[in-house]
Amino acid sequence: MNKYLYTLLLAFSSLFMAEAQQLFDLKRCIETGLEQNYSIRIIRNEQQISDNNATPGNAGYLPTLDLSASYKGTVDNTDSKVRATGEHVKENGVFDQTMNVGLNLNWTIFDGFNITANYQRLKELERQGETNTRIAVEDLIANIAAEYYNYLQHKIRLNNFRYAVSLSKERL
């Protein structure tokens, strides 16, 4: 956990150094963190996947239609002998082609409530994805806010130390 916070603090310090002209308030830090955090991007992609998977078709309510096709072509040279006449027949470049097409429709009408249970499971995974995304975003915002206020406290301490040093020099 500390490694994560140090990485986050390092990222903020690099943002402050890279864009020294712009002031980063808490709102801008949160916006930047939400836009550029790869963990949030991954969580959102996983949520999108679970949203796309929660359909009646994936659960098995809808029929499936499978299409298969194949084509084969050959060029042969043949040499055959006719039995009745004993004559030799020689043919060059005989082209033979074969095409197969298949169409398969499957529809499970009743599967012992397995389809309904599968659909409910997919819907639950969709809700879980939404919850995981919300938790990750809230956790990131909380970490950013804590580190931002930690940064402000250090900045105030630094100013106090500088003031204390200037007072010490003045007294000296």
Side-chain angles (χ1 to χ4, degrees):
M1 186 66 178
N2 286 338
K3 190 175 187 180
Y4 174 73
L5 292 177
Y6 290 133
T7 306
L8 190 62
L9 188 59
L10 181 64
F12 281 133
S13 65
S14 66
L15 283 175
F16 285 120
M17 289 178 197
E19 298 182 16
Q21 302 298 326
Q22 296 178 356
L23 293 177
F24 272 83
D25 58 346
L26 180 59
K27 181 182 175 191
R28 182 163 165 100
C29 287
I30 290 173
E31 288 172 355
T32 304
L34 289 175
E35 288 172 5
Q36 297 181 0
N37 190 303
Y38 287 110
S39 296
I40 297 297
R41 289 182 185 179
I42 290 170
I43 291 284
R44 285 184 179 154
N45 287 343
E46 289 173 355
Q47 178 190 355
Q48 186 66 34
I49 290 170
S50 66
D51 290 347
N52 290 341
N53 285 340
T55 61
N58 281 343
Y61 279 118
L62 301 178
T64 60
L65 183 64
D66 299 323
L67 175 68
S68 62
S70 66
Y71 174 78
K72 178 182 174 184
T74 59
V75 177
D76 288 329
N77 296 329
T78 61
D79 187 12
S80 59
K81 184 176 181 182
V82 180
R83 286 187 180 183
T85 61
E87 174 183 346
H88 264 310
V89 178
K90 189 174 190 178
E91 296 177 4
N92 292 329
V94 176
F95 185 64
D96 182 25
Q97 55 185 341
T98 306
M99 179 183 275
N100 293 321
V101 177
L103 188 63
N104 189 11
L105 177 68
N106 292 319
W107 194 356
T108 303
I109 303 297
F110 183 72
D111 194 14
F113 299 109
N114 189 25
I115 296 172
T116 305
N118 195 18
Y119 187 65
Q120 289 173 353
R121 181 183 63 85
L122 291 172
K123 282 297 189 183
E124 187 62 33
L125 287 173
E126 180 183 22
R127 286 190 292 274
Q128 183 180 1
E130 292 170 0
T131 303
N132 287 343
T133 302
R134 191 185 78 237
I135 287 170
V137 168
E138 289 175 358
D139 195 32
L140 180 70
I141 290 172
N143 286 338
I144 289 173
E147 289 302 316
Y148 181 79
Y149 286 116
N150 188 22
Y151 166 75
L152 290 180
Q153 286 178 343
H154 284 294
K155 192 173 179 182
I156 291 169
R157 283 186 193 147
L158 180 64
N159 289 338
N160 288 341
F161 285 139
R162 286 182 180 161
Y163 181 70
V165 167
S166 69
L167 279 179
S168 295
K169 286 182 181 178
E170 195 176 299
R171 287 182 187 160
L172 183 64

